Structures are given as structure tokens and as C-alpha cells.
Amino acid sequence: MGAKLSRGGKKIEWDNILAYNTVKIVAIKDWRLAVLHWAFMLLVLVYIVVFTLAIQMRYLKLETPTGSIRLSVMEGYPRQPISTMPYCLSGNNNNTKYNGYKTEPCLYWDQFMTIYPQSEDDQFFATTRVTRTAQWLNCSQSSMGCDYSEYYDQPPTVNYLAGVERFTVLIDHSMYAPILGIQRNAEELQGFMMDQNGNIMSGLSADPNNTIGVTGRPDIVPIRTLLSAAGFPDLDGPAPSNSSLSTRYDGAILMVFISYTNTYSYNLNNIRYYYQVKLVEATKYKAQQAIYD
């Protein structure tokens, strides 16, 4: 029964005009559908609580920090005898090859001669091989066609630098997240070196020259540790850009990435960082310097 009013020969259906929708609850009495229903509800709950909140921590405000870095390289002491270095050709080591690559006479250079140039703060070039070529000027430099000529009776001399991988690198870095108002430096934080598989490298503390992540001390890491983190067992394997030459001879380029995080635990005041070293594939680097005599 509905209310109807007539006006001017037309009926007004108030029941239809004032009608509204409501939810009708139906009980499904089927255990198969009930299992699917509760299974999907459980999956939604696990996705929200475990994946979104616990793993991704989507309830947090995230910010990528900016940072600064300063590098300083020192020679590794004490020096080791050249006779103990198999890549060095010496009176006690007459082997012309090591690991399938030619050996060369070795020289001791300190950090001021090995690192070139000295003015770089966020990168460094560590010399592993030196090739010296003698040239002479047989014309006037005011002549457009004047050029230096090589001494053909003095072939280029090639030397390896002894113990370059034992040099140590001081890495002084800091980070700042202006929106979150977080600022830290390396001496305040715990840090780790990662290998190529994303695992924390163990056993680094056994090396007295390695102080990565030691609170209250700057990070000092040997070059050989950076090589190991990049997947290099040593410098005497095949070079990235030319497998017929050793890395010690041809060189390689490594990039060091520093990642900061405070989401590894539920205490957001605990901040740590990770070093990751990556090899730039199929590349090498060489610097040339003119020395006038």
C-alpha cells in the first residue's frame, strides 16, 4: 500500500519519490565459498600488515639524503719486499709471467707520486703501471710543423708500482636530510661493506688497516678491500676492457656508492650505511704527464 495524492488529474507517487537504497545482508551457507571468502580476507590482511606496513613501512615519510665526501689516500706500511710480489720482475723472481701475464720491474712510490692528480676530493686515480718514453725536440717551437720525436734507441720503459693494493683510503662522508632534519657523519654511524651478492663482507675487522663502521673513528679501507667488494680477487686477472692484458697493466674504473637507511629496525634513530663497489664494464683509465728535463 502506498500513499497517492491527486492533483490536476495527475497522481503523485510519494513512495517512488522518497525511495532510498539500503544494504541487504545475505548469509551464504556454502563451506566452499566460505573458504574462498576468508582466504581472500586473510590475504588482504597479510598484504596490508606484513608487506605494506612491516616490510615497505609505507606509514613513514621517506627522504633521499644529500651528502658530502672527502677522500685521502696513504701508502700502506710497512712496505713489503719486491721479491715477495710475484708480478714484479726482480733478481729473486726471474719469472717473465705471472698468472698468464707479463711481469715487469717494480718501483716503490709513495702516495704523493702514486695518486695523480692530488687535488681531487671525491675521486682518486691510483697508478698501477708507469710507462716512460723519452722524446726530444729537433725543431723550433715557433714552427707550426714542429713536434716532439721519440728516441728510437731508448725504447719505453714499463714498471709496476709495488703494493698499490695495500694503500689505504680514508673516506670521510656525511649525510643530511633537510626535510626530516637528520644530519650525521660517518664517525657517528655503523657501516658495512657489501659484496657483489648484496651480503655484508665478513672478516674485515681482522685487518688492522680496516676501520669501516667503527664508531668514533673515520672509515679507512685498503684498496684491496675495494677491489674484493667489486669482484676482483686481485689486480693480476684479465682487464675489463682487454682480457689479453692484466688489470694491473690496463687499469679499471670502480664506483663506490654509499647508502644510508634507518628502516632496518623499528627504532628510527638507528641509522647505518652500506658501501657498494661497482665495476664500470669495458672501460679503463690512463693519465699522461709531461716531465721536462
Side-chain angles (χ1 to χ4, degrees), residues 127-167:
T127 308
T128 58
R129 169 184 60 89
V130 178
T131 300
R132 286 177 287 190
T133 303
Q135 295 180 322
W136 62 286
L137 188 65
N138 63 349
C139 54
S140 173
Q141 288 181 313
S142 61
S143 174
M144 185 174 62
C146 183
D147 198 1
Y148 284 88
S149 300
E150 294 184 5
Y151 282 110
Y152 293 102
D153 58 342
Q154 296 182 15
T157 60
V158 179
N159 295 100
Y160 287 142
L161 299 190
V164 173
E165 51 269 70
R166 299 183 66 248
F167 279 47

Side-chain angles (χ1 to χ4, degrees), residues 233-269:
D234 52 47
L235 290 172
D236 300 298
S241 62
N242 188 350
S243 60
S244 66
L245 300 173
S246 67
T247 304
R248 188 179 303 276
Y249 185 94
D250 203 38
I253 299 178
L254 303 180
M255 299 186 69
V256 180
F257 298 90
I258 307 176
S259 301
Y260 302 90
T261 179
N262 64 344
T263 60
Y264 65 95
S265 70
Y266 292 100
N267 185 352
L268 300 181
N269 292 321

Side-chain angles (χ1 to χ4, degrees), residues 27-77:
I28 306 298
K29 297 182 178 181
D30 188 314
W31 68 270
R32 292 175 291 268
L33 295 177
V35 169
L36 289 176
H37 169 77
W38 291 112
F40 287 135
M41 293 289 287
L42 180 61
L43 287 176
V44 171
L45 180 63
V46 169
Y47 175 79
I48 295 175
V49 175
V50 177
F51 184 74
T52 304
L53 297 180
I55 297 178
Q56 291 190 326
M57 297 185 176
R58 298 293 292 274
Y59 59 91
L60 296 176
K61 184 176 183 179
L62 302 179
E63 180 183 1
T64 301
T66 59
S68 64
I69 186 171
R70 178 181 66 87
L71 302 176
S72 178
V73 182
M74 291 289 292
E75 183 181 0
Y77 287 101

